[in-house]
């Protein structure tokens, strides 16, 4: 019998090109329904899912016995003809002529009954094979590609930054300390400070890698290890920074809606709001305006403080598009941000957090950076930072300082928004949180 294709391995995603042909697939059987002389096997090979039908009358007794014997998650090699699905348009199935078990799987612990998230994440290595993780993590892959392509097209250099860092970038209470040949070092919270030095050579850089926050809180929005893309641009102010972020987020959404249709369908994601976000300009409002707005809506707000979870969710719901909350009180933001004093005498940071709708909350944090040597030095001293460790960082302001700005996008926050899953632990293959640290 002549199999197609003869020269390369065939994957389920390509079956549509082989209707009426005899094909061979290497796959796993994730489910099976048997009724007398006919069995329906649900198969997956990483690229997609397909149903295969086997009838006793069409196959030899060895093949029939093997299909009977096959357990859930057994690996197998099947041969058969690709035919249109008997009821779903644009879908295909396989009429099996030959079935071989590659490895007969032991009894699979993840069954058809509803398992709680604890059980699923204790068995994350196996749970990864289920449809929801498959769809979510393929969206993650698309987001990664979109970000990489966007920055490449925009003329950025990918300049990677170290994970072991001698100083803190964000809040010092959230540092993981490691013993580095007898000297304390910290796992990176963000590559930003290093990217600031790099733009003085390359103009525009981005990094992409794992970052770490010793988050004491147990929320559906926080991981202890997550992936962040930091971008940094020379000769840039905060308005230009927000324009760039808006274009990036729109690009990510557009690519995901175009290229992840099957994944979004599996997740039963209603994409109406995301589609609107591509078409409309994002909202931009000052921190005090946002607080005032929320006060008008019945919240008891603190004008001097960060946005609370409830406030971020309310703003996202109210506007239904991403909202840049600009110019937070400097006190609640990081030491490196450029500051100014407003007409009421409040010291503010030239910054913005980008709040996404649909309860996705803050997906980006960014700011213009302090570019004056003396102002930055004073701030480091005021916050009791070990100034000598930041000498190299101060140098950025000593030799040809320029206005510059940047931002960091949380990969998993972005994926959580697009996929619509409840908890951020779904958006990374092997999550690390205060309660999850294995497998
Ligand atoms: O707002 P953050 O802390 O900003 C920075 O780290 C800057 N140095 C970035 C920069 O300007 N280059 O973090 C950036 C983003 C947040 O907006 C959020 O999306 C995500 O990282 N993030 C987290 N994601 C998951 N779990 C956590 N614990 C996170 N903390 C921040
Ligand atoms: Mg932030």
């Amino acid at each position: 019998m002549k199999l197609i294709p003869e020269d390369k391995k065939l994957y389920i995603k390509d079956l549509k090109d082989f209707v009426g042909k005899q094909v061979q697939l290497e796959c796993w059987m994730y489910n099976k329904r048997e009724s007398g002389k006919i069995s329906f096997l649900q198969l997956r090979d990483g690229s997609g899912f397909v149903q295969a039908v086997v009838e006793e009358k069409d196959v030899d007794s060895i093949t029939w016995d093997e299909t009977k014997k096959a357990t859930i998650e057994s690996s197998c090699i099947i041969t058969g003809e690709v035919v249109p699905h008997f009821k779903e348009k644009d879908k295909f199935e396989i009429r099996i002529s030959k079935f071989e078990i590659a490895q007969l799987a032991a009894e699979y612990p993840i069954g058809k009954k509803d398992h709680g998230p604890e059980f699923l994440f204790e068995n994350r290595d196996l749970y990864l094979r289920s449809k929801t993780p498959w769809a979510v993590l393929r969206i993650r892959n698309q987001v990664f590609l979109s970000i990489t392509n966007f920055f490449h097209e925009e003329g950025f250099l990918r300049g990677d930054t170290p994970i072991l860092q001698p100083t803190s970038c964000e809040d010092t209470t959230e540092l993981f300390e490691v013993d580095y040949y007898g000297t304390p070092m910290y796992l990176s919270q963000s590559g930003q400070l290093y990217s600031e030095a790099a733009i003085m050579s390359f103009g525009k850089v981005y990094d992409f890698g794992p970052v770490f926050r010793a988050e004491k809180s147990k929320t559906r929005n926080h991981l202890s290890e997550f992936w962040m893309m930091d971008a940094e641009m020379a000769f840039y102010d905060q308005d230009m920074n927000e324009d760039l972020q808006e274009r990036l987020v729109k690009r990510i959404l557009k690519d995901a809606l175009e290229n992840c249709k099957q994944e979004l369908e599996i997740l039963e994601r209603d994409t109406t709001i995301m589609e609107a976000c591509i078409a409309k300009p994002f909202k931009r409002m000052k921190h005090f305006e946002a607080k005032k707005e929320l006060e008008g809506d019945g919240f008891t707000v603190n004008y001097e403080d960060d946005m609370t979870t409830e406030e971020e969710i309310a703003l996202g719901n109210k506007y239904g598009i991403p909202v840049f909350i600009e110019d937070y009180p400097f006190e609640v933001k990081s030491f490196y941000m450029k500051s100014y004093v407003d007409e009421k005498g409040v010291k503010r940071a030239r910054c913005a957090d980008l709040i996404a709708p649909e309860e996705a909350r803050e997906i980006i944090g960014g700011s213009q950076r302090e570019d004056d040597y003396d102002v930055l030095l004073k701030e480091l001293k005021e916050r009791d930072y070990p100034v000598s460790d930041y000498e190299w960082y101060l140098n950025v302001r000593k030799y040809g300082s320029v206005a510059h700005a940047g931002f960091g996008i949380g990969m998993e926050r972005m994926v959580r928004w697009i996929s619509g899953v409840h908890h951020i632990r779904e958006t990374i293959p092997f999550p690390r949180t205060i309660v999850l640290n294995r497998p």
Side-chain angles (χ1 to χ4, degrees):
M1 183 180 39
K2 201 167 159 216
L3 288 178
I4 290 182
E6 291 172 280
D7 51 346
K8 69 174 185 33
K9 206 172 136 35
L10 180 69
Y11 289 94
I12 290 173
K13 71 174 171 52
D14 299 320
L15 286 181
K16 60 180 183 315
D17 301 329
F18 296 95
V19 181
K21 306 274 178 10
Q22 286 285 327
V23 297
Q24 191 173 74
L25 282 177
E26 293 166 302
C27 44
W28 293 269
M29 190 192 79
Y30 69 93
N31 215 340
K32 177 165 71 170
R33 187 164 58 81
E34 297 173 304
S35 92
K37 295 181 184 316
I38 184 164
S39 299
F40 300 91
L41 317 182
Q42 306 304 326
L43 307 173
R44 55 174 193 84
D45 71 348
S47 80
F49 305 87
V50 72
Q51 168 167 277
V53 186
V54 55
E55 283 196 69
E56 192 175 4
K57 67 175 171 48
D58 295 342
V59 295
D60 59 35
S61 62
I62 300 174
T63 285
W64 182 249
D65 291 346
E66 287 273 285
T67 61
K68 290 270 145 197
K69 210 168 80 184
T71 48
I72 299 300
E73 284 304 316
S74 289
S75 46
C76 49
I77 304 161
I78 65 144
T79 308
E81 186 189 344
V82 184
V83 297
H85 193 280
F86 76 106
K87 62 175 189 237
E88 288 180 60
K89 201 173 153 268
D90 297 332
K91 285 220 169 123
F92 306 94
E93 56 185 24
I94 296 178
R95 304 291 303 189
I96 285 186
S97 52
K98 194 162 169 240
F99 182 93
E100 286 170 68
I101 296 173
Q103 193 260 330
L104 187 68
E107 194 181 341
Y108 197 58
I110 300 183
K112 278 180 232 159
K113 71 169 175 3
D114 258 349
H115 297 288
E118 275 71 35
F119 178 84
L120 293 176
F121 279 92
E122 270 163 29
N123 293 283
R124 179 59 160 172
D125 51 320
L126 300 179
Y127 174 45
L128 274 182
R129 303 178 184 205
S130 299
K131 268 193 179 172
T132 296
W134 184 86
V136 174
L137 296 174
R138 280 171 58 98
I139 291 173
R140 178 186 172 98
N141 181 60
Q142 176 60 59
V143 173
F144 179 78
L145 283 175
S146 298
I147 292 176
T148 305
N149 291 338
F150 177 84
F151 282 111
H152 180 66
E153 289 159 22
E154 293 276 336
F156 277 67
L157 176 107
R158 176 165 171 157
D160 290 325
T161 51
I163 286 176
L164 290 164
Q165 300 185 2
T167 52
S168 146
C169 178
E170 301 298 322
D171 188 351
T172 49
T173 61
E174 292 175 359
L175 283 171
F176 283 109
E177 191 176 312
V178 293
D179 175 18
Y180 190 74
Y181 305 111
T183 307
M185 287 274 260
Y186 308 101
L187 298 183
S188 171
Q189 295 172 307
S190 160
Q192 179 201 320
L193 305 189
Y194 292 89
S195 292
E196 284 187 59
I199 56 168
M200 300 298 150
S201 174
F202 303 105
K204 296 190 282 190
V205 303
Y206 74 101
D207 68 5
F208 215 141
V211 293
F212 306 84
R213 307 272 167 104
E215 293 276 1
K216 308 285 184 310
S217 50
K218 229 175 97 178
T219 81
R220 64 189 179 98
N221 222 21
H222 288 94
L223 293 162
S224 314
E225 175 180 315
F226 62 98
W227 281 61
M228 179 147 72
M229 188 289 307
D230 294 283
E232 199 67 29
M233 297 76 69
F235 302 103
Y236 244 67
D237 65 17
Q238 181 54 17
D239 288 337
M240 296 159 80
N241 193 16
E242 288 171 36
D243 291 345
L244 183 74
Q245 291 169 42
E246 181 165 341
R247 283 195 289 122
L248 170 64
V249 171
K250 286 182 167 162
R251 166 69 175 273
I252 296 171
L253 292 176
K254 189 168 161 286
D255 286 353
L257 294 181
E258 270 172 28
N259 302 331
C260 299
K261 291 201 173 76
Q262 186 189 2
E263 291 81 359
L264 293 163
E265 206 178 291
I266 289 173
L267 298 166
E268 298 177 2
R269 182 78 169 98
D270 177 350
T271 57
T272 321
I273 291 179
M274 287 193 284
E275 275 154 36
C277 292
I278 298 173
K280 289 188 216 161
F282 292 179
K283 175 101 185 146
R284 297 183 189 199
M285 65 200 304
K286 302 287 178 211
H287 176 271
F288 80 88
E289 287 173 329
K291 289 279 183 183
K292 208 164 137 198
E293 190 92 30
L294 289 158
E295 196 169 40
D297 293 340
F299 279 83
T300 308
V301 301
N302 182 347
Y303 280 87
E304 271 122 68
D305 210 351
D306 217 335
M307 307 300 290
T308 65
T309 304
E310 294 71 29
E311 289 172 354
E312 286 184 358
I313 290 175
L315 285 171
N317 286 344
K318 183 164 182 173
Y319 294 104
I321 45 168
V323 185
F324 285 105
I325 313 270
E326 301 170 330
D327 301 10
Y328 282 61
F330 186 71
E331 292 301 305
V332 302
K333 287 294 185 189
S334 304
F335 71 95
Y336 52 71
M337 293 188 181
K338 192 160 184 67
S339 62
Y340 71 97
V341 177
D342 73 9
E343 60 281 10
K344 292 201 179 98
V346 183
K347 192 175 175 188
R348 297 196 171 271
R350 290 207 188 278
C351 69
D353 282 1
L354 184 62
I355 311 298
E358 306 187 272
E359 303 198 4
R361 298 190 50 203
E362 180 197 327
I363 53 170
I364 293 183
S367 72
Q368 191 167 330
R369 321 304 192 189
E370 182 50 71
D371 49 47
D372 184 277
Y373 184 93
D374 296 320
V375 176
L376 186 62
L377 178 63
K378 189 161 165 272
E379 190 55 40
L380 283 166
K381 285 183 180 159
E382 257 164 42
R383 295 201 190 201
D384 254 347
Y385 278 46
V387 171
S388 61
D389 287 343
Y390 287 87
E391 212 165 300
W392 67 273
Y393 181 65
L394 283 159
N395 277 346
V396 173
R397 283 82 185 160
K398 204 165 162 185
Y399 306 102
S401 188
V402 297
H404 63 287
F407 65 95
I409 182 165
M411 179 69 166
E412 292 75 16
R413 298 263 179 103
M414 192 68 212
V415 176
R416 186 165 84 86
W417 177 26
I418 296 175
S419 61
V421 290
H422 179 75
H423 201 295
I424 198 163
R425 66 187 161 212
E426 297 277 358
T427 63
I428 184 163
F430 293 97
R432 297 289 176 260
T433 68
I434 199 163
V435 292
L436 282 173
N437 52 25
R438 55 177 55 86

